[in-house]
Amino acid sequence: MTAKSTREHIVEAADDLFYRQGFEHTSFSDIADAVQISRGNFYYYFKTKDEILDAVINERLANTRKMLQRWEVEGETPEDRIRSFIFILIANRADIKRYGCPVGTLCSELAKLNHASQGEANKLFTLFRTWLRRQFALLGREDADELAMHILARSQGVATLASAFRDERFIKQEVEQMCDWLKSYVGKTASELSQGTRARH
Amino acid sequence: MTAKSTREHIVEAADDLFYRQGFEHTSFSDIADAVQISRGNFYYYFKTKDEILDAVINERLANTRKMLQRWEVEGETPEDRIRSFIFILIANRADIKRYGCPVGTLCSELAKLNHASQGEANKLFTLFRTWLRRQFALLGREDADELAMHILARSQGVATLASAFRDERFIKQEVEQMCDWLKSYVGKTASELSQGTRARH
Protein backbone atom coordinates (compact mmCIF):
# COMPACT_ATOMS: atom_id res chain seq x y z
CA MET A 1 0.00 0.00 0.00
CA THR A 2 1.27 3.48 -0.80
CA ALA A 3 1.09 6.20 1.85
CA LYS A 4 -1.99 7.62 0.23
CA SER A 5 -3.88 4.40 -0.05
CA THR A 6 -3.22 3.42 3.58
CA ARG A 7 -4.77 6.68 4.72
CA GLU A 8 -7.70 6.13 2.38
CA HIS A 9 -8.11 2.62 3.72
CA ILE A 10 -8.30 3.92 7.28
CA VAL A 11 -10.90 6.55 6.38
CA GLU A 12 -12.98 4.04 4.48
CA ALA A 13 -12.92 1.49 7.31
CA ALA A 14 -13.77 4.18 9.88
CA ASP A 15 -16.62 5.49 7.73
CA ASP A 16 -18.07 2.01 7.55
CA LEU A 17 -17.67 1.31 11.28
CA PHE A 18 -19.08 4.71 12.33
CA TYR A 19 -22.11 3.96 10.17
CA ARG A 20 -22.64 0.37 11.22
CA GLN A 21 -21.88 0.61 14.95
CA GLY A 22 -21.84 4.33 15.73
CA PHE A 23 -19.01 6.80 16.27
CA GLU A 24 -18.90 6.58 20.08
CA HIS A 25 -18.95 2.80 20.09
CA THR A 26 -16.10 2.51 17.57
CA SER A 27 -12.65 2.49 19.12
CA PHE A 28 -9.28 3.37 17.64
CA SER A 29 -8.42 -0.34 17.88
CA ASP A 30 -11.57 -1.37 15.99
CA ILE A 31 -10.45 0.77 13.07
CA ALA A 32 -6.81 -0.40 13.22
CA ASP A 33 -8.02 -4.02 13.33
CA ALA A 34 -10.30 -3.48 10.34
CA VAL A 35 -7.43 -2.05 8.28
CA GLN A 36 -4.99 -4.62 9.68
CA ILE A 37 -2.12 -2.26 10.33
CA SER A 38 0.00 -1.75 13.43
CA ARG A 39 -0.80 0.88 16.03
CA GLY A 40 2.43 2.68 15.15
CA ASN A 41 1.60 2.86 11.49
CA PHE A 42 -1.92 3.97 12.37
CA TYR A 43 -0.70 6.84 14.58
CA TYR A 44 1.45 8.06 11.71
CA TYR A 45 -1.77 9.04 9.94
CA PHE A 46 -4.16 9.89 12.77
CA LYS A 47 -3.52 10.85 16.38
CA THR A 48 -7.10 10.88 17.64
CA LYS A 49 -10.49 9.43 16.76
CA ASP A 50 -11.75 12.98 16.25
CA GLU A 51 -9.18 13.49 13.49
CA ILE A 52 -10.49 10.37 11.78
CA LEU A 53 -14.04 11.64 12.15
CA ASP A 54 -13.12 14.89 10.40
CA ALA A 55 -11.50 12.94 7.57
CA VAL A 56 -14.61 10.73 7.29
CA ILE A 57 -16.91 13.76 7.12
CA ASN A 58 -14.69 15.40 4.47
CA GLU A 59 -14.73 12.22 2.45
CA ARG A 60 -18.52 12.01 2.70
CA LEU A 61 -18.88 15.65 1.69
CA ALA A 62 -16.66 15.10 -1.36
CA ASN A 63 -18.59 11.95 -2.36
CA THR A 64 -21.93 13.68 -1.89
CA ARG A 65 -20.83 16.60 -4.07
CA LYS A 66 -19.77 14.16 -6.78
CA MET A 67 -23.09 12.31 -6.56
CA LEU A 68 -25.12 15.53 -6.80
CA GLN A 69 -23.07 16.63 -9.81
CA ARG A 70 -23.70 13.27 -11.44
CA TRP A 71 -27.45 13.59 -10.86
CA GLU A 72 -27.29 17.10 -12.27
CA VAL A 73 -25.72 15.80 -15.48
CA GLU A 74 -27.80 12.64 -15.78
CA GLY A 75 -31.22 14.13 -15.00
CA GLU A 76 -32.77 15.95 -17.93
CA THR A 77 -35.33 17.86 -15.87
CA PRO A 78 -35.33 19.10 -12.25
CA GLU A 79 -38.05 16.51 -11.63
CA ASP A 80 -35.74 13.70 -12.82
CA ARG A 81 -33.01 14.99 -10.53
CA ILE A 82 -35.23 15.19 -7.46
CA ARG A 83 -36.32 11.65 -8.26
CA SER A 84 -32.66 10.59 -8.14
CA PHE A 85 -32.59 11.90 -4.60
CA ILE A 86 -35.75 10.02 -3.63
CA PHE A 87 -34.39 6.80 -5.11
CA ILE A 88 -31.32 6.67 -2.85
CA LEU A 89 -33.75 5.14 -0.36
CA ILE A 90 -34.28 2.26 -2.78
CA ALA A 91 -30.63 1.92 -3.84
CA ASN A 92 -29.45 1.78 -0.22
CA ARG A 93 -32.45 0.00 1.27
CA ALA A 94 -30.53 -3.02 2.58
CA ASP A 95 -28.19 -0.83 4.65
CA ILE A 96 -30.91 1.64 5.63
CA LYS A 97 -33.03 -1.21 6.96
CA ARG A 98 -30.21 -2.20 9.29
CA TYR A 99 -28.45 1.03 10.18
CA GLY A 100 -30.70 3.91 9.13
CA CYS A 101 -29.47 6.87 7.08
CA PRO A 102 -25.69 7.48 7.36
CA VAL A 103 -26.20 11.26 7.43
CA GLY A 104 -29.15 11.40 9.82
CA THR A 105 -27.75 8.93 12.34
CA LEU A 106 -24.30 10.57 12.40
CA CYS A 107 -25.77 14.06 12.89
CA SER A 108 -28.09 12.79 15.64
CA GLU A 109 -25.24 11.08 17.45
CA LEU A 110 -22.90 14.08 17.24
CA ALA A 111 -25.69 16.39 18.46
CA LYS A 112 -26.07 14.26 21.60
CA LEU A 113 -22.32 14.14 22.13
CA ASN A 114 -22.32 17.91 21.58
CA HIS A 115 -19.33 17.10 19.42
CA ALA A 116 -17.16 19.87 17.96
CA SER A 117 -17.63 18.38 14.45
CA GLN A 118 -21.43 18.43 14.46
CA GLY A 119 -21.44 21.60 12.34
CA GLU A 120 -19.26 19.89 9.74
CA ALA A 121 -21.47 16.79 9.70
CA ASN A 122 -24.58 18.93 9.28
CA LYS A 123 -23.03 20.33 6.09
CA LEU A 124 -23.97 16.98 4.54
CA PHE A 125 -27.62 17.89 5.07
CA THR A 126 -26.95 21.40 3.80
CA LEU A 127 -25.49 20.02 0.55
CA PHE A 128 -28.70 18.08 -0.11
CA ARG A 129 -30.89 20.97 1.00
CA THR A 130 -29.17 23.51 -1.27
CA TRP A 131 -29.17 21.16 -4.23
CA LEU A 132 -32.85 20.23 -3.78
CA ARG A 133 -33.77 23.89 -3.31
CA ARG A 134 -32.14 24.71 -6.64
CA GLN A 135 -34.13 21.96 -8.38
CA PHE A 136 -37.44 23.21 -6.94
CA ALA A 137 -36.51 26.77 -7.85
CA LEU A 138 -35.92 25.58 -11.43
CA LEU A 139 -39.45 24.20 -11.30
CA GLY A 140 -40.58 27.75 -10.63
CA ARG A 141 -41.39 27.27 -6.94
CA GLU A 142 -41.01 30.31 -4.73
CA ASP A 143 -41.20 28.03 -1.69
CA ALA A 144 -38.26 25.96 -2.99
CA ASP A 145 -36.45 25.85 0.36
CA GLU A 146 -39.58 24.71 2.19
CA LEU A 147 -40.10 21.93 -0.35
CA ALA A 148 -36.46 20.90 -0.15
CA MET A 149 -36.67 20.59 3.63
CA HIS A 150 -39.98 18.75 3.35
CA ILE A 151 -38.65 16.02 1.04
CA LEU A 152 -35.42 15.77 3.03
CA ALA A 153 -37.45 15.26 6.21
CA ARG A 154 -39.64 12.63 4.60
CA SER A 155 -36.65 10.61 3.44
CA GLN A 156 -35.16 10.84 6.94
CA GLY A 157 -38.37 9.63 8.55
CA VAL A 158 -38.62 6.72 6.14
CA ALA A 159 -35.05 5.66 6.98
CA THR A 160 -35.68 5.81 10.74
CA LEU A 161 -38.86 3.73 10.62
CA ALA A 162 -37.56 1.28 8.02
CA SER A 163 -34.68 0.60 10.37
CA ALA A 164 -36.84 0.25 13.50
CA PHE A 165 -39.27 -2.12 11.78
CA ARG A 166 -36.66 -3.72 9.46
CA ASP A 167 -39.15 -3.10 6.69
CA GLU A 168 -38.10 -2.75 3.05
CA ARG A 169 -41.65 -2.83 1.76
CA PHE A 170 -42.36 0.34 3.71
CA ILE A 171 -39.45 2.08 1.95
CA LYS A 172 -40.87 1.21 -1.48
CA GLN A 173 -44.35 2.31 -0.47
CA GLU A 174 -43.16 5.71 0.77
CA VAL A 175 -40.85 6.23 -2.21
CA GLU A 176 -43.84 5.74 -4.48
CA GLN A 177 -45.75 8.36 -2.52
CA MET A 178 -42.86 10.80 -2.58
CA CYS A 179 -42.75 10.42 -6.37
CA ASP A 180 -46.51 11.04 -6.57
CA TRP A 181 -46.10 14.09 -4.34
CA LEU A 182 -43.32 15.38 -6.62
CA LYS A 183 -45.41 14.77 -9.73
CA SER A 184 -48.33 16.69 -8.28
CA TYR A 185 -46.03 19.65 -7.73
CA VAL A 186 -44.61 19.62 -11.20
CA GLY A 187 -48.07 19.36 -12.69
CA LYS A 188 -49.53 22.12 -10.57
CA THR A 189 -46.69 24.61 -10.74
CA ALA A 190 -47.63 26.79 -13.66
CA SER A 191 -51.32 27.29 -13.00
CA GLU A 192 -50.80 27.68 -9.25
CA LEU A 193 -48.13 30.28 -9.59
CA SER A 194 -50.31 32.30 -11.93
CA GLN A 195 -53.08 32.16 -9.32
CA GLY A 196 -50.64 33.05 -6.59
CA THR A 197 -51.72 30.09 -4.45
CA ARG A 198 -49.54 27.44 -2.82
CA ALA A 199 -50.12 23.74 -2.98
CA ARG A 200 -50.51 21.67 0.13
CA HIS A 201 -47.74 19.17 0.68
CA MET B 1 -35.90 8.87 49.95
CA THR B 2 -37.76 5.57 50.25
CA ALA B 3 -36.47 2.48 48.47
CA LYS B 4 -39.00 2.95 45.72
CA SER B 5 -38.29 6.60 45.13
CA THR B 6 -34.52 6.06 44.93
CA ARG B 7 -35.03 3.52 42.16
CA GLU B 8 -37.39 5.90 40.40
CA HIS B 9 -34.83 8.68 40.70
CA ILE B 10 -32.17 6.53 39.08
CA VAL B 11 -34.44 5.57 36.18
CA GLU B 12 -35.49 9.17 35.64
CA ALA B 13 -31.91 10.45 35.65
CA ALA B 14 -30.79 7.68 33.30
CA ASP B 15 -33.72 8.36 30.96
CA ASP B 16 -32.73 12.00 30.78
CA LEU B 17 -29.02 11.28 30.24
CA PHE B 18 -29.65 8.59 27.61
CA TYR B 19 -31.79 11.11 25.75
CA ARG B 20 -29.48 14.09 26.07
CA GLN B 21 -26.10 12.42 25.58
CA GLY B 22 -26.88 8.96 24.23
CA PHE B 23 -26.91 5.52 25.84
CA GLU B 24 -23.37 4.49 24.87
CA HIS B 25 -21.85 7.78 26.01
CA THR B 26 -23.57 7.67 29.42
CA SER B 27 -21.60 5.83 32.08
CA PHE B 28 -22.75 4.17 35.28
CA SER B 29 -20.92 6.96 37.15
CA ASP B 30 -22.72 9.70 35.19
CA ILE B 31 -26.04 8.31 36.40
CA ALA B 32 -24.86 7.83 40.01
CA ASP B 33 -23.51 11.39 40.00
CA ALA B 34 -26.79 12.78 38.67
CA VAL B 35 -28.77 11.03 41.42
CA GLN B 36 -26.09 11.84 44.02
CA ILE B 37 -25.98 8.44 45.67
CA SER B 38 -23.03 6.20 46.53
CA ARG B 39 -21.87 3.44 44.20
CA GLY B 40 -22.85 0.87 46.84
CA ASN B 41 -26.38 2.19 47.10
CA PHE B 42 -26.58 2.35 43.33
CA TYR B 43 -25.52 -1.29 42.87
CA TYR B 44 -28.26 -2.32 45.27
CA TYR B 45 -30.77 -1.32 42.58
CA PHE B 46 -28.93 -1.97 39.32
CA LYS B 47 -25.96 -4.18 38.55
CA THR B 48 -25.41 -3.16 34.92
CA LYS B 49 -26.17 -0.29 32.58
CA ASP B 50 -28.24 -2.70 30.48
CA GLU B 51 -30.52 -3.31 33.47
CA ILE B 52 -31.02 0.44 33.77
CA LEU B 53 -31.77 0.64 30.05
CA ASP B 54 -34.48 -1.99 30.40
CA ALA B 55 -36.01 -0.06 33.29
CA VAL B 56 -35.88 3.17 31.26
CA ILE B 57 -37.60 1.52 28.30
CA ASN B 58 -40.30 0.04 30.56
CA GLU B 59 -40.87 3.44 32.13
CA ARG B 60 -41.16 5.05 28.70
CA LEU B 61 -43.57 2.36 27.53
CA ALA B 62 -45.75 2.90 30.61
CA ASN B 63 -45.71 6.69 30.16
CA THR B 64 -46.52 6.40 26.46
CA ARG B 65 -49.47 4.11 27.20
CA LYS B 66 -50.78 6.65 29.72
CA MET B 67 -50.36 9.50 27.25
CA LEU B 68 -52.18 7.61 24.48
CA GLN B 69 -55.02 6.78 26.88
CA ARG B 70 -55.27 10.44 27.85
CA TRP B 71 -55.45 11.49 24.20
CA GLU B 72 -58.10 8.83 23.66
CA VAL B 73 -60.23 10.33 26.43
CA GLU B 74 -59.59 13.96 25.64
CA GLY B 75 -60.01 13.81 21.85
CA GLU B 76 -63.64 13.77 20.76
CA THR B 77 -62.94 12.49 17.24
CA PRO B 78 -60.16 10.31 15.78
CA GLU B 79 -59.01 13.42 13.94
CA ASP B 80 -58.59 15.29 17.25
CA ARG B 81 -56.60 12.39 18.63
CA ILE B 82 -54.26 12.13 15.65
CA ARG B 83 -53.74 15.87 15.99
CA SER B 84 -52.63 15.29 19.60
CA PHE B 85 -49.94 13.03 18.21
CA ILE B 86 -48.81 15.62 15.66
CA PHE B 87 -48.67 18.31 18.32
CA ILE B 88 -46.06 16.49 20.45
CA LEU B 89 -43.60 18.02 18.01
CA ILE B 90 -44.72 21.46 19.14
CA ALA B 91 -44.95 20.63 22.84
CA ASN B 92 -41.45 19.16 22.90
CA ARG B 93 -39.87 21.41 20.28
CA ALA B 94 -37.18 22.86 22.56
CA ASP B 95 -35.82 19.38 23.39
CA ILE B 96 -36.35 18.04 19.86
CA LYS B 97 -34.35 20.92 18.45
CA ARG B 98 -31.40 19.92 20.61
CA TYR B 99 -31.59 16.16 20.94
CA GLY B 100 -34.08 14.91 18.31
CA CYS B 101 -36.90 12.50 19.13
CA PRO B 102 -36.29 10.37 22.25
CA VAL B 103 -37.82 7.28 20.60
CA GLY B 104 -36.19 7.60 17.18
CA THR B 105 -32.71 8.39 18.46
CA LEU B 106 -32.76 5.58 21.05
CA CYS B 107 -33.94 3.01 18.49
CA SER B 108 -31.32 4.18 15.97
CA GLU B 109 -28.56 3.95 18.55
CA LEU B 110 -29.56 0.49 19.79
CA ALA B 111 -29.82 -0.76 16.19
CA LYS B 112 -26.21 0.25 15.57
CA LEU B 113 -25.08 -1.31 18.83
CA ASN B 114 -27.07 -4.39 17.82
CA HIS B 115 -28.23 -4.22 21.43
CA ALA B 116 -30.31 -7.01 22.95
CA SER B 117 -32.94 -4.45 24.03
CA GLN B 118 -33.57 -2.98 20.58
CA GLY B 119 -36.74 -5.05 20.23
CA GLU B 120 -38.06 -3.64 23.50
CA ALA B 121 -37.23 -0.07 22.47
CA ASN B 122 -38.95 -0.55 19.12
CA LYS B 123 -42.14 -1.38 21.04
CA LEU B 124 -42.35 2.37 21.68
CA PHE B 125 -42.82 2.87 17.94
CA THR B 126 -45.26 -0.04 17.84
CA LEU B 127 -47.40 1.59 20.56
CA PHE B 128 -47.74 4.75 18.46
CA ARG B 129 -48.25 2.78 15.26
CA THR B 130 -51.02 0.61 16.71
CA TRP B 131 -52.75 3.57 18.31
CA LEU B 132 -52.58 5.70 15.16
CA ARG B 133 -53.76 2.76 13.04
CA ARG B 134 -56.84 2.44 15.26
CA GLN B 135 -57.62 6.14 14.82
CA PHE B 136 -57.34 5.94 11.02
CA ALA B 137 -59.45 2.77 11.03
CA LEU B 138 -62.09 4.69 13.00
CA LEU B 139 -62.00 7.25 10.20
CA GLY B 140 -63.01 4.42 7.87
CA ARG B 141 -59.62 4.01 6.20
CA GLU B 142 -58.78 0.56 4.94
CA ASP B 143 -55.14 1.65 4.57
CA ALA B 144 -55.02 2.67 8.25
CA ASP B 145 -51.67 1.00 8.93
CA GLU B 146 -50.05 2.65 5.92
CA LEU B 147 -51.33 6.06 7.05
CA ALA B 148 -50.15 5.43 10.62
CA MET B 149 -46.64 4.61 9.37
CA HIS B 150 -46.70 7.60 7.06
CA ILE B 151 -47.48 10.14 9.77
CA LEU B 152 -45.05 8.45 12.19
CA ALA B 153 -42.30 8.71 9.56
CA ARG B 154 -43.06 12.35 8.88
CA SER B 155 -42.83 13.27 12.54
CA GLN B 156 -39.51 11.39 12.78
CA GLY B 157 -38.09 13.21 9.78
CA VAL B 158 -39.15 16.57 11.18
CA ALA B 159 -37.39 15.80 14.47
CA THR B 160 -34.15 14.75 12.75
CA LEU B 161 -33.94 17.85 10.56
CA ALA B 162 -35.10 20.26 13.26
CA SER B 163 -32.25 18.97 15.38
CA ALA B 164 -29.64 19.15 12.60
CA PHE B 165 -30.63 22.71 11.65
CA ARG B 166 -31.66 23.77 15.19
CA ASP B 167 -34.82 25.10 13.60
CA GLU B 168 -38.08 25.50 15.50
CA ARG B 169 -39.79 27.39 12.71
CA PHE B 170 -39.40 24.33 10.50
CA ILE B 171 -41.22 22.21 13.10
CA LYS B 172 -44.18 24.59 13.12
CA GLN B 173 -44.28 24.73 9.34
CA GLU B 174 -44.32 20.94 9.00
CA VAL B 175 -46.85 20.48 11.81
CA GLU B 176 -49.19 22.80 9.94
CA GLN B 177 -48.77 20.70 6.81
CA MET B 178 -49.33 17.46 8.68
CA CYS B 179 -52.58 18.91 10.03
CA ASP B 180 -53.63 19.94 6.50
CA TRP B 181 -52.77 16.46 5.26
CA LEU B 182 -54.89 14.94 8.04
CA LYS B 183 -57.80 17.25 7.28
CA SER B 184 -57.71 16.30 3.60
CA TYR B 185 -58.03 12.66 4.61
CA VAL B 186 -60.93 13.20 6.93
CA GLY B 187 -62.75 15.22 4.31
CA LYS B 188 -62.16 12.73 1.52
CA THR B 189 -62.84 9.53 3.38
CA ALA B 190 -66.51 8.88 2.72
CA SER B 191 -66.70 9.67 -0.98
CA GLU B 192 -63.38 8.01 -1.73
CA LEU B 193 -64.23 4.81 0.02
CA SER B 194 -67.50 4.61 -1.87
CA GLN B 195 -65.58 4.99 -5.12
CA GLY B 196 -63.04 2.41 -4.01
CA THR B 197 -60.12 4.73 -4.69
CA ARG B 198 -57.24 5.65 -2.45
CA ALA B 199 -56.04 9.13 -1.73
CA ARG B 200 -52.47 10.16 -2.34
CA HIS B 201 -50.54 11.09 0.75
Side-chain angles (χ1 to χ4, degrees), chain A residues 18-25 98-102 104-109 111-114 118 122 125-126 129 145-154 156-158 160-167 169-170 173-174 177-178 180-181 184 188 198 200-201, chain B residues 18-25 98-102 104-109 111-114 118 122 125-126 129 145-154 156-158 160-167 169-170 173-174 177-178 180-181 184 188 198 200-201:
Chain A
F18 292 167
Y19 177 40
R20 289 192 289 111
Q21 60 184 43
F23 168 71
E24 179 76 7
H25 189 63
R98 293 198 58 183
Y99 313 111
C101 167
T105 53
L106 181 66
C107 289
S108 293
E109 185 179 3
K112 282 192 201 291
L113 299 175
N114 201 15
Q118 60 186 306
N122 288 341
F125 271 137
T126 304
R129 178 184 188 165
D145 187 55
E146 216 175 289
L147 297 176
M149 283 290 280
H150 176 77
I151 199 81
L152 207 45
R154 278 176 69 166
Q156 281 301 307
V158 171
T160 304
L161 283 201
S163 161
F165 289 109
R166 297 277 198 271
D167 188 347
R169 204 184 47 84
F170 170 67
Q173 176 182 301
E174 285 285 321
Q177 285 168 29
M178 285 160 83
D180 284 352
W181 171 87
S184 78
K188 282 179 194 167
R198 278 172 44 196
R200 189 171 35 72
H201 44 278
Chain B
F18 292 167
Y19 177 41
R20 289 193 289 110
Q21 59 184 43
F23 168 71
E24 179 76 6
H25 189 62
R98 292 198 59 186
Y99 314 111
C101 167
T105 54
L106 182 65
C107 289
S108 293
E109 186 180 3
K112 281 190 201 294
L113 299 176
N114 201 14
Q118 59 185 309
N122 288 341
F125 270 137
T126 304
R129 177 184 188 165
D145 187 55
E146 215 175 291
L147 297 175
M149 283 291 279
H150 176 78
I151 199 81
L152 206 47
R154 278 176 70 165
Q156 281 302 308
V158 171
T160 303
L161 283 201
S163 161
F165 290 109
R166 295 277 198 272
D167 188 348
R169 204 184 46 84
F170 170 67
Q173 176 182 303
E174 285 286 320
Q177 285 169 27
M178 286 160 82
D180 284 352
W181 171 86
S184 78
K188 283 180 194 166
R198 279 170 46 196
R200 191 172 33 74
H201 44 276

Side-chain angles (χ1 to χ4, degrees), chain A residues 28-198:
Chain A
F28 228 72
S29 310
D30 290 340
I31 306 169
D33 288 353
V35 192
Q36 292 189 298
I37 58 173
S38 72
R39 279 296 192 109
N41 198 0
F42 198 96
Y43 279 114
Y44 171 78
Y45 295 100
F46 294 102
K47 300 284 174 287
T48 67
K49 204 171 77 169
D50 284 347
E51 280 179 24
I52 307 178
L53 175 64
D54 285 340
V56 165
I57 294 172
N58 280 333
E59 185 64 20
R60 288 199 193 180
L61 284 168
N63 290 337
T64 304
R65 274 190 206 100
K66 272 182 228 157
M67 182 175 68
L68 295 175
Q69 277 162 5
R70 201 174 59 241
W71 291 348
E72 194 85 35
V73 173
E74 289 171 1
E76 266 190 47
T77 64
E79 193 190 349
D80 290 337
R81 291 175 213 139
I82 298 169
R83 217 178 284 115
S84 297
F85 167 78
I86 296 171
F87 281 139
I88 338 176
L89 284 168
I90 299 288
N92 300 339
R93 66 186 182 281
D95 281 342
I96 288 172
K97 201 177 75 173
R98 293 198 58 183
Y99 313 111
C101 167
V103 181
T105 53
L106 181 66
C107 289
S108 293
E109 185 179 3
L110 298 183
K112 282 192 201 291
L113 299 175
N114 201 15
H115 195 284
S117 297
Q118 60 186 306
E120 281 303 300
N122 288 341
K123 282 184 187 168
L124 287 161
F125 271 137
T126 304
L127 275 184
F128 283 108
R129 178 184 188 165
T130 311
W131 185 89
L132 286 165
R133 179 171 61 211
R134 194 168 60 245
Q135 307 311 321
F136 282 111
L138 287 170
L139 287 173
R141 302 293 318 189
E142 282 179 22
D143 52 353
D145 187 55
E146 216 175 289
L147 297 176
M149 283 290 280
H150 176 77
I151 199 81
L152 207 45
R154 278 176 69 166
S155 72
Q156 281 301 307
V158 171
T160 304
L161 283 201
S163 161
F165 289 109
R166 297 277 198 271
D167 188 347
E168 275 191 35
R169 204 184 47 84
F170 170 67
I171 298 179
K172 289 181 187 166
Q173 176 182 301
E174 285 285 321
V175 161
E176 206 178 291
Q177 285 168 29
M178 285 160 83
C179 288
D180 284 352
W181 171 87
L182 175 62
K183 219 171 195 170
S184 78
Y185 267 77
V186 178
K188 282 179 194 167
T189 309
S191 63
E192 274 189 356
L193 280 182
S194 68
Q195 291 166 30
T197 59
R198 278 172 44 196

Side-chain angles (χ1 to χ4, degrees), chain B residues 16-131:
Chain B
D16 194 48
L17 287 167
F18 292 167
Y19 177 41
R20 289 193 289 110
Q21 59 184 43
F23 168 71
E24 179 76 6
H25 189 62
T26 301
S27 68
F28 227 71
S29 310
D30 290 340
I31 306 169
D33 288 352
V35 191
Q36 292 190 299
I37 59 174
S38 71
R39 278 294 192 109
N41 198 0
F42 198 96
Y43 278 114
Y44 172 77
Y45 296 101
F46 295 102
K47 301 284 174 284
T48 66
K49 204 171 77 168
D50 285 346
E51 280 179 24
I52 307 179
L53 175 64
D54 285 340
V56 165
I57 294 171
N58 280 332
E59 186 65 20
R60 287 199 193 179
L61 285 168
N63 290 337
T64 304
R65 275 190 205 98
K66 274 182 225 155
M67 183 174 71
L68 295 175
Q69 278 162 5
R70 200 173 61 240
W71 290 349
E72 193 84 36
V73 173
E74 287 172 3
E76 267 191 46
T77 64
E79 194 190 348
D80 289 339
R81 290 174 215 141
I82 298 167
R83 218 179 282 114
S84 297
F85 166 77
I86 296 171
F87 280 139
I88 338 176
L89 285 167
I90 298 288
N92 299 340
R93 65 186 183 280
D95 281 341
I96 287 171
K97 200 177 74 171
R98 292 198 59 186
Y99 314 111
C101 167
V103 181
T105 54
L106 182 65
C107 289
S108 293
E109 186 180 3
L110 297 183
K112 281 190 201 294
L113 299 176
N114 201 14
H115 196 285
S117 297
Q118 59 185 309
E120 281 303 299
N122 288 341
K123 282 184 186 167
L124 288 160
F125 270 137
T126 304
L127 274 183
F128 283 108
R129 177 184 188 165
T130 312
W131 186 88

